Amino acid sequence: QQQVKQSPQSLIVQKGGISIINCAYENTAFDYFPWYQQFPGKGPALLIAIRPDVSEKKEGRFTISFNKSAKQFSLHIMDSQPGDSATYFCAALDSNTGNQFYFGTGTSLTVIP
Amino acid sequence: ETGVTQSPTHLIKTRGQQVTLRCSSQSGHNTVSWYQQALGQGPQFIFQYYREEENGRGNFPPRFSGLQFPNYSSELNVNALELDDSALYLCASTPSGISGGGNEQFFGPGTRLTVL
């Protein structure tokens, strides 16, 4: 049972374009939603994270949009660059009761010059 | 670089064998989590150790076991290997007893295990 559903599986974007990756969850107890970036041969690295008390968080070119009522959140990468080509994972955690992160299945992003 | 190291980088075993994977956490981090990442999938939580005690476990059978040592290094042991155990195994360290909630997990590069 997939606790966090992620789409699309793969994404190709032109340099300078906007990359959008979406995630949905069912467990309303989740209260921490990070996004991770993973390059081949490397472990995931935290990119940006949000809590459900805000609807948007921006860090540089990366923005998380959060819709609590729809139980959805998304990652927007503005002005996408070839160096952003990687696999992106969303995740969710109920920090009050557990320490188990639930990851999405990943999105392979390719930014073409 | 996060400072979390794992060894070995790659490993090939045959079905039924046992394997030990090692992780050296970032300095000062007293919590370590282990994940299994199958090809094309997201990481799946195996378990977490805090101050040398298991502190939560995902949906993995008992043949997956672990240890954490006083110097915060840790091991993942898998007995009776099955073909489906082939995956990238990641460890992640955290500065305090609770992952998330603002405490970032720092992942190592992983160990690629192939079971033939």
Side-chain angles (χ1 to χ4, degrees), chain B residues 65-107:
Chain B
S65 63
L67 286 172
Q68 185 184 31
F69 301 100
N71 64 355
Y72 304 133
S73 65
S74 63
E75 291 180 354
L76 165 65
N77 298 289
V78 187
N79 293 321
L81 284 167
E82 301 177 359
L83 298 180
D84 285 349
D85 295 334
S86 295
L88 180 69
Y89 288 85
L90 297 161
C91 74
S93 71
T94 309
S96 70
I98 298 176
S99 296
N103 289 324
E104 180 178 349
Q105 287 191 112
F106 294 87
F107 283 87

Side-chain angles (χ1 to χ4, degrees), chain A residues 81-98:
Chain A
Q81 299 296 313
D84 296 331
S85 298
T87 300
Y88 292 81
F89 294 95
C90 60
L93 172 76
D94 174 2
S95 61
N96 292 314
T97 63

Side-chain angles (χ1 to χ4, degrees), chain B residues 35-54:
Chain B
Y35 292 84
Q36 180 194 66
Q37 185 176 17
L39 198 61
Q41 299 295 316
Q44 298 287 318
F45 178 76
I46 302 174
F47 45 56
Q48 183 182 87
Y49 277 79
Y50 171 62
R51 293 185 175 177
E52 303 171 50
E53 297 285 334
E54 187 175 293

